[in-house]
């Protein structure tokens, strides 16, 4: 399976890396971290130049972030009402995110973008809020450098040993557990559980 993924990524080249990272940055549910790590594996194998991959990934991430910020800034609430459900942008989540952003823009943007779902809505929330685009882009670039360097580096360090890791039983159970958690999160609104107060 992973051999096939590497073959596809190798055939798509840097264009595939750029597109995947762009989708991650704009907030769509795309496994951008895994993509960058796999690009690191291919770099170790000599398929890509790791510096070029790093630069292309950074460009894709920043372009995606700017696009999401602009959508939030210029379209704002109408965009959220129409398309927010696809990004799980509920009014409650937007309100909570704005509170966190006001408390510490640096921590929310740099740290928050590492957290699933929070990271997806961050550029939209920043666009809707009063934060300047210069400040947002500076913090977002710091996050992007940390994110890309981390996952690209992990992939490069694993290199040809990646298959040993994925064949490990603990890794497989971790993937299964993570997948189940994602499913529970995604579909939790379809099966609400009401806990009654007793006495």
């Amino acid at each position: 399976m992973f051999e096939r993924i590497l073959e596809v990524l190798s055939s798509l080249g840097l264009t595939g890396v750029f597109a995947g990272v762009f989708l991650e940055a704009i907030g769509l549910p795309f496994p951008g971290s895994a993509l960058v790590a796999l690009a690191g594996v291919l770099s170790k194998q000599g398929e890509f130049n790791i510096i070029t991959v790093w630069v292309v990934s950074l460009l894709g991430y920043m372009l995606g972030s700017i696009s999401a910020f602009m959508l939030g800034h210029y379209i704002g609430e109408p965009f959220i009402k129409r398309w927010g459900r696809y990004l799980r942008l509920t009014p409650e989540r937007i309100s909570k995110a704005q509170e966190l952003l006001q408390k510490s823009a640096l921590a929310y943007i740099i740290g928050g973008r590492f957290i699933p779902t929070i990271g997806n809505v961050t550029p939209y929330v920043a666009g809707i809020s009063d934060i300047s685009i210069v400040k947002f882009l500076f913090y977002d670039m710091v996050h992007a450098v940390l994110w890309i360097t981390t996952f690209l580096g992990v992939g490069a360090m694993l290199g040809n040993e990646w298959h040993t890791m994925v064949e490990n039983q603990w890794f497989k159970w971790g993937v299964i557990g993570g997948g189940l958690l994602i499913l529970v999160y995604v579909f939790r609104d379809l099966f609400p559980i009401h806990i009654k107060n007793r006495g």
Side-chain angles (χ1 to χ4, degrees):
M1 175 184 173
F2 283 90
E3 287 90 349
R4 179 57 182 160
I5 294 173
L6 288 175
E7 287 176 12
V8 171
L9 181 57
S10 179
S11 65
L12 291 174
L14 294 175
T15 302
V17 174
F18 179 90
V21 174
F22 175 86
L23 293 175
E24 166 81 18
I26 206 169
L28 293 176
F30 185 85
S33 300
L35 176 75
V36 173
L38 289 173
V41 172
L42 289 174
S43 298
K44 182 69 173 181
Q45 295 176 356
E47 294 288 335
F48 296 146
N49 177 287
I50 195 167
I51 301 299
T52 304
V53 172
W54 191 91
V55 172
V56 168
S57 298
L58 183 62
L59 290 174
Y61 197 93
M62 296 309 298
L63 183 59
S65 294
I66 292 171
S67 300
F69 182 93
M70 291 301 183
L71 285 171
H73 184 73
Y74 289 106
I75 303 177
E77 192 173 340
F79 172 82
I80 299 303
K81 286 182 177 179
R82 179 160 186 172
W83 303 103
R85 65 182 181 276
Y86 297 108
L87 299 170
R88 302 190 68 80
L89 287 169
T90 63
E92 294 77 15
R93 181 167 291 168
I94 292 294
S95 177
K96 179 63 177 177
Q98 286 179 313
E99 288 179 18
L100 294 172
L101 182 63
Q102 289 172 0
K103 287 180 181 178
S104 176
L106 184 149
Y108 180 75
I109 296 172
I110 296 177
R113 295 220 73 178
F114 280 105
I115 303 171
T117 70
I118 291 179
N120 292 356
V121 305
T122 297
Y124 297 96
V125 172
I128 294 170
S129 305
D130 294 329
I131 185 172
S132 71
I133 188 170
V134 174
K135 182 183 286 188
F136 167 74
L137 289 178
F138 176 75
Y139 292 154
D140 196 62
M141 182 175 285
V142 172
H143 163 79
V145 168
L146 293 172
W147 178 74
I148 294 166
T149 303
T150 298
F151 286 98
L152 192 61
V154 166
M157 284 189 294
L158 287 174
N160 293 325
E161 300 300 320
W162 64 269
H163 56 84
T164 302
M165 184 189 76
V166 300
E167 288 172 2
N168 185 286
Q169 289 298 321
W170 288 107
F171 179 83
K172 291 180 180 179
W173 282 111
V175 171
I176 292 171
L180 289 174
L181 287 174
I182 292 171
L183 287 174
V184 169
Y185 176 80
V186 170
F187 294 106
R188 74 189 191 285
D189 293 333
L190 298 177
F191 305 100
I193 298 174
H194 300 285
I195 301 175
K196 295 182 179 179
N197 293 324
R198 299 188 179 184

